[in-house]
Amino acid sequence: MKTLHLFRHAKSSWKDHSLSDRERGLNGRGRLAAPRMGAALASQLAPQSVAVSPARRAQLTLSGLCQGWPALADQEHRTIEALYTFDSDELSRWLRQQPDSCSELFLIGHNPALTDLVNELAPAAQLVNLPTAGYVQLRLPLAHWSGLVEGIATLEYRLFPRELLDP
């Protein structure tokens, strides 16, 4: 059995138009949402390794998650170039290449790739949009990541920032 944790980066800033897409940071809402989501996920999940896109907004999202979920900061974090994609097929290819010794993967990435991936793997989820700083957990009845195919997953849990109680 495999578990896939998907987290979309927090709300990015478009304030400085001179920055490339990779260089954009988080806006105020994003800087608040990431730690709040980290605190909420800390009560639901064990801390684990995180694979994160190299985009600055994804890196800052991970930092924010760790602020709200300090035990996550003690885990291994890997920046993975392949996670800077907006294409679910590219994500699927990367997932199929992961070592089978890894039963859980936690990714921080981008839309539309993440929303599309959820809908391809777990069509019953009928996810219209994984919002910024949104989290989805999928259960996959697989022994090998290479066996990843459309329709194989079940949506186990989801959490979106708008569902959190105001502090």
Side-chain angles (χ1 to χ4, degrees), residues 82-101:
L83 298 182
Y84 182 68
T85 183
F86 309 100
D87 184 334
S88 61
D89 290 339
E90 290 180 13
L91 275 183
S92 293
R93 278 192 291 279
W94 182 81
L95 286 166
R96 284 187 199 99
Q97 296 171 1
Q98 298 314 296
D100 294 327
S101 59

Side-chain angles (χ1 to χ4, degrees), residues 73-129:
D74 296 333
Q75 302 301 306
E76 175 188 14
H77 303 145
R78 298 177 299 134
T79 298
I80 307 291
E81 183 64 33
L83 298 182
Y84 182 68
T85 183
F86 309 100
D87 184 334
S88 61
D89 290 339
E90 290 180 13
L91 275 183
S92 293
R93 278 192 291 279
W94 182 81
L95 286 166
R96 284 187 199 99
Q97 296 171 1
Q98 298 314 296
D100 294 327
S101 59
C102 185
S103 63
E104 298 194 33
L105 290 172
F106 192 121
L107 313 181
I108 299 176
H110 307 273
N111 254 0
L114 293 177
T115 296
D116 292 345
L117 184 66
V118 170
N119 287 321
E120 289 164 12
L121 296 178
Q126 298 182 345
L127 184 63
V128 174
N129 179 51

